[in-house]
Amino acid sequence: MTKQTLRAEVSARVKNLSPTYCREADAAICRWVTQSAQYQEARTVFCYVGTEREIDTMALLRDALRDGKTLAVPLCLPEKGLMEARRIEGLGDLVSGRYGILAPKLDCPVVAPESFDLAIVPCCTGNARGQRLGYGGGYYDRYLLRTSCPTMLLCRHQLEREDIPAEEHDIVMDYFVTERGIVECACGAGK
């Protein structure tokens, strides 16, 4: 199966998920993250803002701000496939950005990827081996090369897939989080 075929298949499955399941799964996933030692020990957290088809990370963002973490959120740059992280002080620092995704205002300060203690990453689908299928832009695979912190992949259990086509440039995640819990990925953990 090609990545494009799998993306289309998972996208169709997302549309059939019940709103109740998504809300409950997303809340549980965010709780697993905030209860983890990786989150608890992190001073600087990099976390995406979930879109309609992804995990709703608003509770996670609020918790990070409330917990006094330095919170860095991705901002897609005009150059295709490139992004940077900007520090937000509150959810009011988020505005509609590229692709309609909430992103930091342009006057929010840039945060160096080398300073992250934890990176929380979205996916179309993923699995407990740390494999991740993104949306095809390569943003995270390029960006995460510049980090050395643990990575956590968030995915609803009903979208988990074992048959993810992998390429050499695909970054393997350290932890895989579903509503059922956190799994340390044998291939990724221990960067």
Side-chain angles (χ1 to χ4, degrees), residues 14 22 28 43 60 73 76 141 156 162:
V14 168
C22 291
R43 292 177 313 280
L60 187 51
V73 175
C76 293
D141 287 319
R156 295 180 189 114
E162 290 305 314

Side-chain angles (χ1 to χ4, degrees), residues 26-27 29-35 39 42-51 54-75 85-95 101-104 118-122 140 154:
D26 295 4
I29 289 166
C30 290
R31 276 193 308 274
W32 281 112
V33 171
T34 57
Q35 292 169 3
Y39 172 86
R43 292 177 313 280
T44 302
V45 175
F46 174 67
C47 184
Y48 69 99
V49 180
T51 64
E54 297 170 333
I55 306 303
D56 180 353
T57 57
M58 281 301 178
L60 187 51
L61 298 173
R62 275 192 291 276
D63 286 348
L65 291 165
R66 183 202 65 221
D67 295 340
K69 312 254 185 221
T70 297
L71 180 58
V73 175
L75 174 69
R86 300 281 182 114
R87 180 180 182 161
I88 64 167
E89 300 287 339
L91 298 182
D93 286 340
L94 298 173
V95 295
I101 299 170
L102 286 178
L118 177 64
I120 299 169
V121 184
Y140 284 87
L154 309 187

Side-chain angles (χ1 to χ4, degrees), residues 7 14 26 55 59 72 84-85 96 102 115-116 120 139:
R7 280 188 194 100
V14 168
D26 295 4
I55 306 303
E84 63 187 13
S96 183
L102 286 178
S115 69
F116 303 155
I120 299 169
Y139 287 89

Side-chain angles (χ1 to χ4, degrees), residues 81-150:
L82 297 181
M83 67 181 182
E84 63 187 13
R86 300 281 182 114
R87 180 180 182 161
I88 64 167
E89 300 287 339
L91 298 182
D93 286 340
L94 298 173
V95 295
S96 183
R98 202 171 190 82
Y99 311 111
I101 299 170
L102 286 178
K105 294 177 181 175
L106 293 178
D107 61 352
C108 291
V110 174
V111 180
E114 301 83 9
S115 69
F116 303 155
D117 298 309
L118 177 64
I120 299 169
V121 184
C123 67
C124 176
T125 185
N127 61 42
R129 291 193 311 275
Q131 293 176 307
R132 170 187 177 271
L133 179 67
Y135 297 99
Y139 287 89
Y140 284 87
D141 287 319
R142 284 184 196 90
Y143 191 76
L144 292 173
L145 288 173
R146 299 171 51 202
T147 67
S148 59
C149 66

